[in-house]
Amino acid sequence: KREEVRIADAEALKAKLEATELTIPAKVGEEGILFGSVTAQMIVDALAEAGIEVVGKAVKEVDPAAIAALLKANPYIASVNFIHFAGRSLVIDYTLREVVLHVFTPGGAHYFVDREGVVLPFTAKMQDYLMIVNGNVGDGQKVGARAPKGVREALALAKAILEDDFHRAQFSQIYLNGRGELELTSTVGGQTVLVGTADNAAEKLSNLRAVYENGLSHRGYSSYTSLDARFKNRIIATRQ
């Protein structure tokens, strides 16, 4: 219970800090060059004026268990590897989840999925390149739960795409159709590429690359409306 209270207090302080904007007056020259520096005490005083008290603690008073619990409660942290003291410093080592997919549901909700297939909450602060997944992906996925089967299939295909710069530039979105099959839309030519399942994804992508480099590059990227990559060692193309 004590640990839960500490976590709640820390989250409340975090929210208060994020909503606080500090203005610290200082002298500057004609070219905007600061005279002197903004000291730690000046920041402490400004925080105090904003109603936020900064309490200095001795290292021995810091509770590593409470910090670990707070970090583990963050869905984007995969693991807390260690927390220990090194002289007067507290060293924290943790592993972040690698986010791969941005999933849009039919109901208008959206969420992220990491490399291990774990559902993560959407945040507008995400700046990483993510593959978009939409279509018949289902609704109402719980944060921390395993992504549904169709999304996991899309994840396997996305990981294969992201391993190659050519495919990464060629495809940015995966669609799960009504038959539960995976489709891609090419950024060059706009063809719909039917992949089917993520089985043998690397081989299918290799076949597609050969078609784009050795076929469509000569005939025109927009000369075909669709490419079917579901079959072994061949691509079936449909002309305009």
Side-chain angles (χ1 to χ4, degrees):
K1 185 68 177 178
R2 180 182 173 189
E3 191 170 279
E4 291 177 0
V5 171
R6 286 179 175 175
I7 292 174
D9 290 344
E11 291 286 4
L13 177 59
K14 175 176 177 290
K16 190 172 183 179
L17 286 170
E18 288 178 343
T20 300
E21 182 175 333
L22 299 180
T23 300
I24 301 175
K27 293 182 178 181
V28 296
E30 294 181 358
E31 297 181 357
I33 299 174
L34 179 68
F35 290 135
S37 62
V38 176
T39 66
Q41 188 59 49
M42 292 168 69
I43 296 173
V44 169
D45 293 341
L47 285 170
E49 289 181 9
I52 299 173
E53 182 182 3
V54 178
V55 180
K57 285 190 176 183
V59 171
K60 64 181 181 181
E61 296 177 15
V62 176
D63 186 353
I67 295 174
L70 181 60
L71 291 173
K72 289 177 180 178
N74 187 315
Y76 285 91
I77 293 180
S79 63
V80 179
N81 305 321
F82 61 79
I83 299 178
H84 67 77
F85 296 105
R88 300 179 62 185
S89 301
L90 180 65
V91 181
I92 302 174
D93 184 273
Y94 58 89
T95 302
L96 289 173
R97 294 188 181 278
E98 183 182 351
V99 185
V100 177
L101 302 181
H102 186 176
V103 182
F104 290 80
T105 72
H110 46 157
Y111 59 88
F112 298 142
V113 176
D114 79 346
R115 179 168 281 274
E116 305 305 318
V118 176
V119 174
L120 301 174
F122 169 79
T123 171
K125 296 179 180 179
M126 176 61 65
Q127 299 295 319
D128 295 347
Y129 173 87
L130 304 177
M131 292 287 295
I132 294 173
V133 178
N134 58 5
N136 293 273
V137 297
D139 280 308
Q141 299 306 315
K142 183 179 179 181
V143 171
R146 192 183 187 200
K149 184 178 183 299
V151 175
R152 296 198 307 272
E153 281 282 316
L155 175 62
L157 177 59
K159 288 193 286 189
I161 290 172
L162 295 175
E163 287 179 357
D164 187 283
D165 288 340
F166 176 87
H167 300 311
R168 185 187 179 101
Q170 191 79 355
F171 306 113
S172 61
Q173 182 172 325
I174 301 173
Y175 178 77
L176 187 64
N177 66 27
R179 299 185 301 275
E181 295 177 317
L182 301 174
E183 297 180 4
L184 299 168
T185 299
S186 173
T187 57
V188 179
Q191 296 87 17
T192 295
V193 179
L194 182 57
V195 179
T197 70
D199 293 343
N200 303 313
E203 179 183 322
K204 293 174 181 177
L205 291 171
S206 177
N207 293 339
L208 281 169
R209 180 166 185 166
V211 168
Y212 277 104
E213 292 182 336
N214 303 319
L216 298 189
S217 62
H218 302 294
R219 295 185 178 91
Y221 290 108
S222 60
S223 58
Y224 293 90
T225 59
S226 65
L227 300 172
D228 191 341
R230 292 176 297 173
F231 309 102
K232 186 175 179 61
N233 294 328
R234 60 177 174 148
I235 301 291
I236 298 176
T238 302
R239 283 185 175 277
Q240 288 276 20

